């Protein structure tokens, strides 16, 4: 069965600090990987996605993620966070068996101190 | 293009009642997925519909059901409500529902069961 594990439930950083959020997944077939973000009071939106090719993908607002197939990981990174990055971040995997359903991790709440 | 619209935004029901939630996907999107979001649990997959057919179902009891209409609008029904059903219910649409088709979320319906 598909599963997604996010290592940190809560992260507190100061502005300009670097960010790395861990994500590991369990799935036996072909997968596409996503990070979604939910800013306070807003709906979930896509941050970035990996389908194939270059394992380092770039998303909106300076975020990037690296797919490491051997480690079943898709960690999210940002070199320098801003107060406006305060949000909840969800890693998600969509597989090609079981009808393309998207499974989400439990989420990581990031709070950036100004 | 209008986003995913969910109605109502808030609902308060008592135990034993039933409830119907509605979702209008982005115009042209044929796949609609439903999720239950609770603190600490992340997003739990309920079901996914494509062209009026349920393609996937999560691990929820039979009290949770849904359907999709020919115009791709979807409804979700929960019967015999329990206190534990209190949650934010999210609807998401995607263009094709295929592997590389990301989800677009609505703002959700917050259900409180008393």
């Amino acid at each position: 069965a598909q599963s997604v594990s996010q290592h940190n439930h809560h992260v507190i950083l100061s502005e300009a600090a670097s960010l790395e959020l861990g994500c590991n997944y369990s799935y036996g077939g072909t997968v596409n990987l996503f990070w979604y973000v939910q800013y306070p009071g807003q709906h979930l939106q896509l941050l970035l996605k990996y389908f194939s090719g270059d394992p380092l993908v770039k998303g909106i607002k300076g975020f990037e993620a690296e797919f490491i197939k051997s480690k079943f990981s898709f960690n999210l990174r940002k070199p320098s966070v801003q107060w406006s990055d305060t949000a909840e971040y969800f890693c998600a995997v969509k597989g090609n068996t079981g009808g393309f359903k998207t499974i989400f991790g439990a989420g990581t709440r990031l709070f950036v101190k100004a | 293009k209008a986003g995913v619209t969910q109605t109502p935004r808030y609902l308060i029901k008592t135990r034993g009642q039933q409830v119907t939630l509605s979702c209008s996907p982005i115009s042209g999107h044929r796949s609609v997925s439903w999720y239950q979001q609770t603190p600490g649990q992340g997003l739990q997959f309920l079901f996914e519909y494509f062209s009026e057919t349920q393609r996937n179902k999560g691990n929820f009891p039979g009290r949770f059901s849904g359907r999709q209409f020919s115009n791709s609008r979807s409804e979700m029904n929960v019967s015999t409500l329990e206190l534990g059903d209190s949650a934010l219910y999210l609807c998401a649409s995607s263009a094709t529902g295929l592997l590389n088709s990301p989800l677009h979320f609505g703002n959700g319906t917050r259900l409180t069961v008393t």
Side-chain angles (χ1 to χ4, degrees), chain A residues 44-77:
Chain A
L44 268 161
Q45 56 188 281
L46 182 67
L47 196 57
L48 49 76
K49 57 186 184 288
Y50 171 79
F51 295 155
S52 63
D54 188 345
L56 185 64
V57 292
K58 296 190 185 298
I60 60 172
K61 303 187 179 184
F63 285 90
E64 64 180 31
E66 184 176 15
F67 170 53
I68 303 179
K69 190 174 182 180
S70 60
K71 295 185 178 180
F72 296 92
S73 71
F74 189 56
N75 293 352
L76 180 70
R77 299 195 293 247

Side-chain angles (χ1 to χ4, degrees), chain A residues 67-111:
Chain A
F67 170 53
I68 303 179
K69 190 174 182 180
S70 60
K71 295 185 178 180
F72 296 92
S73 71
F74 189 56
N75 293 352
L76 180 70
R77 299 195 293 247
K78 186 171 183 179
S80 176
V81 294
Q82 300 174 310
W83 176 80
S84 58
D85 294 324
T86 294
E88 190 161 17
Y89 294 82
F90 293 90
C91 181
V93 59
K94 191 175 191 180
N96 65 342
T97 61
F100 306 122
K101 63 185 177 185
T102 302
I103 301 299
F104 287 79
T108 297
R109 284 187 181 272
L110 170 66
F111 179 72

